[in-house]
Amino acid sequence: MGKRRPTHVPPPELPPTLHGVVPDLTVDLHGMRTHQAQRRVESLLATCSQRPLGAVIRIVTGKGNRSSGTPVLLGLVEELLRDDPRVTEMVRDAGGGGWLIRTGP
């Protein structure tokens, strides 16, 4: 007798980590001043409801190696993301120069 297929196939589970997930959107903040980057991230978060539930977004800040002063964008973006209830998950990008986030309701 052959194997029976289940009548109900469960939906695929979300990956256990954001690393290795192809982002739905990438936003590059290289070359922006602090206030420009802050406005861009705030605008991005304000439009989260227009994206599919669980969308993954890569925000590239750079490591700040070429900054004339102390690198600020990586920390600034971290603060903005950590305090926002629309960000359900966040992790530092594998290269260290940005963030991967998952958005929620």
Side-chain angles (χ1 to χ4, degrees):
M1 200 184 268
K3 294 183 181 179
R4 292 186 180 196
R5 291 186 175 170
T7 56
H8 172 71
V9 178
E13 294 183 23
L14 294 174
T17 178
L18 293 176
H19 292 285
V21 174
V22 177
D24 298 295
L25 175 68
T26 298
V27 177
D28 192 344
L29 305 178
H30 277 110
M32 289 188 182
R33 298 199 176 276
T34 305
H35 67 279
Q36 293 170 318
Q38 182 173 353
R39 274 191 261 142
R40 180 66 179 107
V41 171
E42 288 171 348
S43 173
L44 172 73
L45 293 172
T47 61
C48 281
S49 63
Q50 298 171 357
R51 304 196 190 297
L53 187 61
V56 175
I57 302 169
R58 172 178 280 130
I59 302 174
V60 180
T61 61
K63 296 178 188 177
N65 293 339
R66 296 187 194 127
S67 297
S68 58
T70 306
V72 295
L73 289 184
L74 192 63
L76 169 76
V77 171
E78 179 182 15
E79 286 180 35
L80 293 170
L81 298 175
R82 198 169 301 283
D83 294 338
D84 197 292
R86 295 166 286 204
V87 176
T88 59
E89 186 178 355
M90 67 182 275
V91 65
R92 188 100 171 255
D93 198 5
W99 297 97
L100 289 167
I101 65 170
R102 186 180 313 273
T103 60

